Amino acid sequence: QLQASGGGLVQAGGSLRLSCAASGRTFSSYNMGWFRQAPGQEREFVAGIRWNGGSTYYATFVKGRFTVFRDNAQNTVYLQMNSLKPEDTAVYYCAAAPRTTILSELRHSRGYDYWGQGTQVTVSS
């Protein structure tokens, strides 16, 4: 089970840190991803991280602004979001993919086995 939190309302240029806590003892066996979905739009990939935190992968539109990292001891993956823009407004979801998923494939939602419930991020202009 995945539980996302940390969303909220922030002004443009501000920062938020999202957390995704996983239950169970196999968290370190999964690659993790963050996706987002804005109203009326399809869910899109934001960032992904390998099971050991050794490699990360980002959507072009967040490079340099967002950072994904994880703490396997705490069964938690994070998404640090800086320089937020109004177009970043969306519901953000975390998801878990098998450890065998290659990094570039983490951008596809079909590769994920488990999804969190989502946390709302609203960026005002």
Side-chain angles (χ1 to χ4, degrees):
Q1 183 177 0
L2 302 175
Q3 182 74 32
S5 62
L9 174 63
V10 64
Q11 288 188 332
S15 299
L16 282 175
R17 177 176 291 184
L18 306 184
S19 300
C20 175
S23 59
R25 292 177 288 180
T26 60
F27 176 73
S28 61
S29 298
Y30 289 90
N31 298 328
M32 299 297 294
W34 285 96
F35 287 76
R36 70 186 187 185
Q37 188 168 19
Q41 298 186 22
E42 294 187 353
R43 189 172 298 186
E44 63 180 354
F45 171 76
V46 175
I49 186 168
R50 290 274 289 161
W51 61 273
N52 61 358
S55 298
T56 56
Y57 187 58
Y58 296 94
T60 302
F61 56 80
V62 302
K63 275 189 176 180
R65 300 190 298 126
F66 293 7
T67 303
V68 60
F69 58 101
R70 65 191 294 163
D71 183 343
N72 284 349
Q74 298 295 324
N75 283 4
T76 303
V77 62
Y78 302 91
L79 184 67
Q80 177 67 43
M81 305 187 295
N82 299 328
S83 302
L84 283 162
K85 305 174 182 180
E87 52 263 43
D88 293 319
T89 295
V91 177
Y92 284 70
Y93 299 89
C94 60
R99 183 170 171 171
T100 52
T101 306
I102 63 174
L103 195 63
S104 61
E105 286 300 306
L106 290 180
R107 68 183 186 274
H108 298 300
S109 59
R110 63 174 180 261
Y112 290 81
D113 293 338
Y114 304 101
W115 291 83
Q117 87 289 358
T119 184
Q120 175 71 47
V121 171
T122 303
V123 184
S124 63
S125 58

